[in-house]
Amino acid sequence: MPAEDRLLLAIDTSTEVAGLALYDGATVSELTWNAGRNQTASLLTQIRHLLDINGRDLTEVGAVAVAIGPGTFNGLRVGMSVAKGLCYGLGLPLIGIGTLDTIAYPHVRSRHPIRAVVPAGRGRVVYADYRYRNGRWVRLSDLRNERMDQLADELVEKTIIAGELPAELAARLEESPLVIVPPPALRVRRPAYLAEVAHRRWLEGDTDPLETLEPVYVHGSASTAAAPEPRASTG
Amino acid sequence: MATSTGTVILGIETSCDETSAAVVRGGREVLSNVIHSQIDLHQRYGGVVPELASRRHITTIIPAIDLALEQAGVTRDDIDAIAVTEGPGLAGALLVGVNVAKTLALTWGLPVVPVNHLEGHIYANWLSLPGEDPVPPPAFPLVCLIVSGGHTELVFMRGHGEYELLGRTIDDAAGEAFDKGARILGLGYPGGPAIQRAAEQGRIGRFHFPRAWLGDSYDFSFSGLKTALLREVEKYRRPGPRKRRPKGDQPFLTHEPPEYAPNMPVNDLAADYQDAIVDVLAEKTIRAARETGAATVLIAGGVAANSLLRRRLAGALDIPVRYPPPILCTDNAAMIAGAAYYVQRRGVQAGLDLDAHPQLPLVTATAFTDD
Ligand SMILES: [Zn+2]
């Protein structure tokens, strides 16, 4: 159980848009920036910056959460390496959260099914479907790898599509009567969502093994790593 | 735990397929050297798969560091600096070590010392293993031949941190030539020891493989040699698939050993193939040592374990020919922590923005004198 004043530091380097959040269970401070492929050069500097501008110190951090993907392999490795280094160096618990879970998270109050998407390069996306069932949100599908232009092809009911979508694709999806496309700022992942989902797990003592936690690698047309257990998020 | 004094450096090395962490005192004394080898992982592919190597580092790096501290009998309070390989190497592999090193340095309030992987190989010659007497420091000026699966460079050093790159491979590395040769001959991976073992059972002189002398240059080329071996071996090949396409849960190409007629003279081919590689490595190193007036010749990297290479050099030169013990020849973090001692003395220190540099060249730094 976390001490009341201790902070959770959330790290998300799943894509070229990197994000950090500090969360104490009540107040959240966030930082997102376009890291490109320079996550290694910028991540630790930004962590110190976020602590500094909030007048906090690394010693006040009590847990570290990290986005485990899917995403770019090297990007995920940067976040995972820094998260593991922090947890080992400071003796902190580590909490890994699926990147798609944090993309779906802000849309759960609508009760519409949610399709959470991350870009996978070369015109492809990786996605999973979330649905509200028996009072809980569950992830239905395994991670799927699909051509971007076929993302909405087999939908049968009105579904929210969220994630980093190219503007042109978003515009095209909006024309479909079965698709709800949230505005751009609502579509993208925010580190605050990651922090909130992880903070709940921290309170429950549900943490991950420091040594063996690894990213979710989605390769080619199939998932090569078992998707982590679907996490329920109550709406 | 030894009782001598000196800067205690935790080294981290993840540039290729070994996850390694080590503790070294004063640039000379290895207190621990933990190496998690991935040979089992890459064997079926006949070589290192960069993405697989990078993935493995993520799960082995923290246990390696933990064990290195434990085996050295030190805690983080005893550590004075953290050294890490910043390059050259595989991007996805390097960044694991660089990020973990920087993060530990931040949490423990320690400086980060970035080390060039090649510099690490050279400085493996300054190290002594636990329980062994310290080796005398190699005398300058010296010529160092760095030969491994990733590199073939001939370096001249007038003193600490003063590097002059005399030559390097223009295509395959020497260790890569051994790996490819072993793959062609169906001898398995890693290729260096496999070829050497087969060659010891064979006779030299039956096959005349080409030597790429490249004029007076100290550069090396091994791709023509590989092609010549392939041409020789084709005569014995039986048809069959060599590579299996990725399918299902297996996204990477796997290597299937080729099939040959039973009368193929594998050992003789290995003997002449090894001779061709060693010939060029030895001749250029000997010439470099003579032309530069070197007081010492060093061999470093995995191929330094090749006994034919050692014999040729020692037989032709009347100056000391030195090479590290086998465990310090292949990639390891002790050599990084050892080199870091000398790098740090040049005043080099990295910030939190240190990046991985897959193509990092070996360049001369500010010179200083040895104590
Ligand atoms: Zn090496």
Side-chain angles (χ1 to χ4, degrees):
Chain A
M1 282 287 285
E4 293 215 332
D5 56 343
R6 299 208 81 187
L7 295 168
L8 179 137
L9 170 65
I11 301 170
D12 188 343
T13 51
S14 309
T15 67
E16 295 189 356
V17 180
L20 294 170
L22 276 178
Y23 186 47
D24 62 5
T27 311
V28 67
S29 319
E30 273 185 300
L31 201 56
T32 63
W33 71 103
N34 197 332
R37 295 191 175 180
N38 293 322
Q39 289 117 332
T40 293
S42 62
L43 184 54
L44 279 170
T45 316
Q46 295 288 32
I47 288 174
R48 199 160 59 183
H49 177 60
L50 181 62
L51 288 163
D52 284 350
I53 55 178
N54 285 283
R56 308 301 287 256
D57 189 84
L58 201 53
T59 56
E60 296 173 72
V61 174
V64 177
V66 65
I68 61 171
T72 66
F73 297 169
N74 278 350
L76 292 168
R77 277 191 277 272
V78 173
M80 192 66 81
S81 302
V82 167
K84 287 190 174 193
L86 287 169
C87 291
Y88 181 73
L90 298 168
L92 304 178
L94 175 64
I95 300 153
I97 301 288
T99 303
L100 296 173
D101 293 3
T102 72
I103 292 171
Y105 181 74
H107 307 290
V108 294
R109 293 207 193 268
S110 78
R111 298 288 191 264
H112 284 293
I114 303 159
R115 177 161 290 187
V117 181
V118 288
R122 296 195 186 110
R124 299 190 74 89
V125 290
V126 175
Y127 72 87
D129 287 332
Y130 295 77
R131 198 162 297 215
Y132 192 68
R133 273 197 180 158
N134 305 323
R136 294 163 60 84
W137 276 92
V138 289
R139 186 167 67 217
L140 290 185
S141 61
D142 283 339
L143 304 179
R144 299 242 176 88
N145 186 311
E146 185 59 88
R147 267 177 48 197
M148 209 179 260
D149 54 7
Q150 292 175 351
L151 182 59
D153 281 4
E154 87 314 358
L155 289 180
V156 291
E157 63 183 303
K158 214 166 172 59
T159 299
I160 296 171
I161 297 188
E164 281 171 53
L165 306 173
E168 182 212 344
L169 174 67
R172 195 140 36 80
L173 288 171
E174 269 172 343
E175 290 166 14
S176 162
L178 289 179
V179 175
I180 303 167
V181 182
L186 260 181
R187 286 207 292 273
V188 296
R189 12 186 254 300
R190 279 181 53 187
Y193 309 150
L194 171 61
E196 244 181 63
V197 174
H199 195 270
R200 193 172 307 163
R201 282 187 47 196
W202 187 24
L203 288 176
E204 291 163 359
D206 180 12
T207 62
D208 287 306
L210 170 58
E211 295 179 354
T212 53
L213 183 69
E214 56 182 331
V216 174
Y217 303 103
V218 181
H219 199 281
S221 57
S223 162
T224 58
E229 281 300 295
R231 297 272 176 205
S233 358
T234 47
Chain B
M1 185 179 147
T3 50
S4 57
T5 55
T7 314
V8 177
I9 297 181
L10 168 66
I12 295 173
E13 151 68 38
T14 63
S15 69
C16 189
D17 62 335
E18 323 276 0
T19 317
S20 184
V23 180
V24 173
R25 191 198 310 272
R28 307 291 308 279
E29 189 188 346
V30 178
L31 301 184
S32 68
N33 186 27
V34 173
I35 303 170
H36 177 96
S37 169
Q38 302 183 357
I39 285 179
D40 58 322
L41 181 66
H42 301 282
Q43 216 143 25
R44 60 192 294 200
Y45 305 103
V48 175
V49 181
E51 177 57 26
L52 285 184
S54 308
R55 290 181 187 185
R56 185 63 76 85
H57 290 308
I58 285 286
T59 53
T60 50
I61 184 71
I62 298 295
I65 292 168
D66 203 43
L67 194 57
L69 294 177
E70 188 193 314
Q71 288 186 354
V74 299
T75 68
R76 64 163 123 152
D77 297 330
D78 303 310
I79 303 292
D80 299 305
I82 298 181
V84 66
T85 307
E86 66 166 328
L90 305 170
L94 285 167
L95 66 81
V96 176
V98 167
N99 280 297
V100 169
K102 287 194 299 181
T103 308
L104 288 182
L106 174 70
T107 62
W108 295 348
L110 297 174
V112 180
V113 184
V115 176
N116 184 304
H117 182 80
L118 298 172
E119 201 167 19
H121 275 303
I122 294 171
Y123 277 95
N125 283 286
W126 271 255
L127 296 174
S128 59
L129 291 170
E132 287 182 0
D133 290 334
V135 294
F140 292 112
L142 59 83
V143 164
C144 183
L145 174 69
I146 309 167
V147 265
S148 75
H151 352 276
T152 306
E153 5 262 316
L154 198 53
V155 177
F156 176 66
M157 286 179 76
R158 209 173 287 282
H160 288 295
E162 288 183 82
Y163 307 105
E164 189 186 326
L165 186 65
L166 300 176
R168 57 181 303 178
T169 183
I170 56 170
D171 42 54
D172 294 349
E176 203 179 349
F178 275 112
D179 282 344
K180 287 180 176 174
R183 205 181 319 178
I184 291 166
L185 292 171
L187 291 171
Y189 172 85
I195 295 242
Q196 185 173 322
R197 266 194 309 274
E200 280 160 8
Q201 312 294 318
R203 259 181 328 112
I204 289 181
R206 191 166 158 189
F207 303 96
H208 297 282
F209 290 126
R211 274 86 167 143
W213 295 110
L214 307 177
D216 285 341
S217 112
Y218 287 118
D219 284 341
F220 302 90
S221 165
F222 296 105
S223 68
L225 172 62
K226 176 199 64 192
T227 311
L229 175 67
L230 205 55
R231 215 175 301 128
E232 205 58 59
V233 156
E234 280 304 324
K235 300 169 188 165
Y236 302 93
R237 182 190 293 278
R238 287 172 168 174
R242 280 181 62 221
K243 282 188 169 178
R244 193 178 283 168
R245 279 279 134 201
K247 60 174 186 187
D249 68 332
Q250 188 41 263
F252 303 99
L253 285 171
T254 57
H255 169 69
E256 302 296 320
E259 284 197 23
Y260 296 115
N263 67 337
M264 186 171 86
V266 172
N267 295 339
D268 292 350
L269 284 163
D272 277 323
Y273 187 77
Q274 173 180 256
D275 194 61
I277 296 175
V278 168
D279 219 14
V280 182
L281 291 175
E283 278 310 306
K284 297 211 175 198
T285 307
I286 292 161
R287 183 159 59 85
R290 289 184 180 141
E291 282 181 11
T292 59
T296 317
V297 164
L298 304 180
I299 332 175
V303 181
N306 186 281
S307 50
L308 183 65
L309 175 62
R310 292 174 174 184
R311 280 203 309 276
R312 289 270 174 92
L313 290 174
L317 293 163
D318 51 12
I319 53 173
V321 175
R322 306 242 320 237
Y323 37 84
I327 194 70
L328 298 175
C329 279
T330 47
D331 289 351
N332 67 88
M335 70 187 199
I336 302 304
Y341 174 79
Y342 298 95
V343 172
Q344 198 179 32
R345 281 173 55 188
R346 308 199 290 257
V348 175
Q349 189 176 319
L352 289 181
D353 59 350
L354 174 69
D355 207 346
H357 296 108
Q359 310 293 337
L360 188 70
L362 186 66
V363 291
T364 288
T366 318
F368 63 92
T369 52
D370 201 358
D371 52 16

